[in-house]
């Protein structure tokens, strides 16, 4: 009977890999952002690590558009000037080959730890997006959120947009309001 049992490896490639993103957020205790508060970009803290496998211009546009729409949907104002804003906001986006978990932990103090992303698959790589908010009155980071997900290099712009919107919306659910 035991000779009839055979272990085989499935040689088919997974084309519809579904790996849920992993999100973590940290905020300063006691901080609440009041309705109507104003936000502006903090350009010196925005960092998008470019990769030839992705259209960086489109990624930057989608990330910034979604951040701004989440801010305004939550009842805040987005203004052009850092000096006129109550809060400034920035982000870092990178693939693991440019910014690994150890570097993320060292620089930002949090890592979502999504380890289920397939290794050695040319269609996927772990990507991380970190969003952070600075309180201009005290010049400190009061909230930061990070997400890690499998970046699928085969997605077109529309599919990437549809995937990114709910991820960023989920990140903003922890913003202390």
């Amino acid at each position: 009977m035991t000779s009839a049992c055979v272990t085989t490896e499935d040689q088919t490639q997974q084309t519809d890999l579904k790996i849920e993103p992993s999100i973590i957020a940290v905020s300063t205790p006691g901080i609440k952002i009041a309705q109507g508060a104003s936000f502006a970009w903090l350009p010196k803290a925005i960092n998008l690590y470019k990769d030839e496998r992705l259209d960086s211009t489109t990624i930057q546009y989608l990330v910034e558009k979604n951040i701004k729409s989440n801010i305004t949907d939550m009842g805040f104002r987005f203004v052009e000037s850092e000096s006129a804003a109550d809060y400034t906001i920035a982000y870092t986006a990178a693939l693991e080959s440019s910014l690994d978990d150890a570097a993320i932990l060292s620089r930002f103090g949090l890592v979502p730890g999504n380890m289920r992303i397939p290794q050695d698959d040319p269609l996927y790589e772990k990507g991380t997006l970190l969003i952070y908010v600075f309180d201009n009155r005290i010049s400190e980071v009061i909230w930061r959120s990070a997400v890690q997900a499998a970046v699928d290099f085969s997605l077109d712009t529309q599919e990437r947009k549809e995937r990114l919107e709910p991820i960023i919306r989920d990140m903003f659910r922890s913003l202390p309001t």
Side-chain angles (χ1 to χ4, degrees):
M1 289 277 261
T2 59
S3 64
C5 295
V6 179
T7 303
T8 61
E9 290 185 30
D10 184 3
Q11 298 297 327
T12 60
Q13 190 173 11
Q14 292 180 321
T15 55
D16 288 335
L17 185 64
K18 181 72 172 152
I19 299 172
E20 292 299 319
S22 178
I23 299 174
I24 188 170
V26 177
S27 58
T28 302
I31 295 287
K32 298 280 185 223
I33 301 173
Q35 284 294 104
S38 59
F39 283 78
W41 292 118
L42 184 60
K44 66 183 179 188
I46 292 174
N47 196 355
L48 178 68
Y49 287 76
K50 297 184 182 268
D51 189 285
E52 68 278 354
R53 296 169 290 178
L54 293 169
D55 177 2
S56 297
T57 304
T58 300
I59 299 296
Q60 182 171 5
Y61 169 78
L62 291 173
V63 168
E64 290 180 6
K65 176 182 178 282
N66 280 285
I67 289 173
K68 279 179 95 170
S69 68
N70 275 279
I71 292 292
T72 57
D73 288 350
M74 295 176 81
F76 304 119
R77 296 177 294 118
F78 212 91
V79 298
E80 294 301 315
S81 169
E82 289 175 55
S83 60
D86 300 311
Y87 302 92
T88 50
I89 193 162
Y91 65 90
T92 295
L95 294 172
E96 185 175 30
S97 56
S98 298
L99 189 66
D100 65 15
D101 286 354
I104 292 167
L105 184 59
S106 173
R107 280 183 58 193
F108 301 101
L110 74 165
V111 176
N114 194 336
M115 300 306 194
R116 297 184 45 228
I117 296 159
Q119 298 295 312
D120 301 322
D121 186 333
L123 287 179
Y124 299 94
E125 186 173 339
K126 183 182 347 184
T128 303
L129 172 63
L130 298 112
I131 303 172
Y132 26 105
V133 172
F134 297 84
D135 185 329
N136 286 350
R137 296 167 297 175
I138 58 175
S139 299
E140 289 184 16
V141 175
I142 60 163
W143 174 82
R144 60 194 188 277
S145 181
V147 63
Q148 286 184 329
V151 175
D152 183 344
F153 298 116
S154 69
L155 294 181
D156 65 24
T157 300
Q158 183 60 33
E159 291 170 310
R160 198 166 305 288
K161 176 183 177 284
E162 290 169 3
R163 185 159 186 241
L164 196 56
E165 285 174 355
I167 289 172
I168 293 177
R169 185 174 49 247
D170 287 347
M171 292 174 79
F172 272 96
R173 286 191 175 140
S174 66
L175 188 69
T177 58

